[in-house]
Amino acid sequence: MARYASNKHALGISDRSGAAYRLHDMRKEWTGMLVGKDEWEAKQPQLTPIKAPADPQSLRDPRPDRTEPAVEVLLPANAFASSSSGSAAITVFEPGHGRATGDVVRFREVQGFDGFTKSVVESSSGYSITVVAGDISTNFQSSFYSFTASSGTATTGNVSGGCSFASAGPVSITK
């Protein structure tokens, strides 16, 4: 097996300057170069970036099976529109409602309009709705639904009303 020089008189050549130094006085730099004591340079701290901690990947104790309870939604001003004169059909404008035909909706804080009284529109049992496709030229294709009032009919027809504080929500919410 080969042996390396270990004598205190052994010489080495600097990779940086080419000068001869005693081998035991030479140092290895971070670049791998073997240099003399007077030529040695420490690594610049900015060349070693700080390792950022990893981003958290998930939530602790997630509850994906939980769903939020249904809530009331404030309707736009005068969101109700009567159908033709003598009809009990009422169309409601609720942008992005996400409701389906057959859902039961209860209205609150509605003012009477076009022959429909406040108590009729605010029926405590709510109304089963039918989703109405909107005009294709608008962005409100899923913003309308209609229901048939339990009593009363439109006197004039094609009239908007209901006030600016009306809301729509599930029947189960009590005030």
Side-chain angles (χ1 to χ4, degrees), residues 91 97 130-136 138 140-146:
T91 302
H97 57 75
T130 303
V131 176
V132 178
D135 182 6
I136 302 228
T138 68
F140 302 116
Q141 293 160 353
S142 64
S143 299
F144 295 95
Y145 54 86
S146 64

Side-chain angles (χ1 to χ4, degrees), residues 74-136:
L74 187 63
L75 297 172
N78 298 321
F80 298 88
S82 61
S83 192
S84 59
S85 178
S87 173
I90 298 175
T91 302
V92 181
F93 174 64
E94 183 183 340
H97 57 75
R99 302 184 193 280
T101 297
D103 287 352
V104 177
V105 179
R106 181 177 176 192
F107 303 102
R108 294 170 180 84
E109 305 298 327
V110 181
Q111 292 179 351
F113 71 101
D114 196 22
F116 298 104
T117 64
K118 174 182 177 75
S119 61
V120 167
V121 179
E122 290 183 355
S123 172
S124 62
S125 59
Y127 291 101
S128 179
I129 65 166
T130 303
V131 176
V132 178
D135 182 6
I136 302 228

Side-chain angles (χ1 to χ4, degrees), residues 1-66:
M1 182 170 181
R3 294 184 57 167
Y4 296 102
S6 61
N7 193 323
K8 63 180 179 179
H9 300 291
L11 294 177
I13 304 296
S14 169
D15 290 334
R16 177 166 292 136
S17 66
Y21 288 92
R22 291 196 326 202
L23 193 58
H24 77 280
D25 289 339
M26 295 183 79
R27 298 171 125 191
K28 188 173 264 193
E29 283 187 342
W30 63 275
T31 60
M33 292 176 33
L34 193 60
V35 296
K37 271 187 182 179
D38 59 336
E39 297 175 333
W40 185 83
E41 292 179 3
K43 184 175 182 179
Q44 171 54 260
Q46 291 178 344
L47 295 176
T48 307
I50 297 170
K51 187 170 184 173
D55 289 339
Q57 296 299 313
S58 64
L59 299 173
R60 183 182 309 211
D61 299 328
R63 303 280 190 237
D65 56 335
R66 238 177 108 175

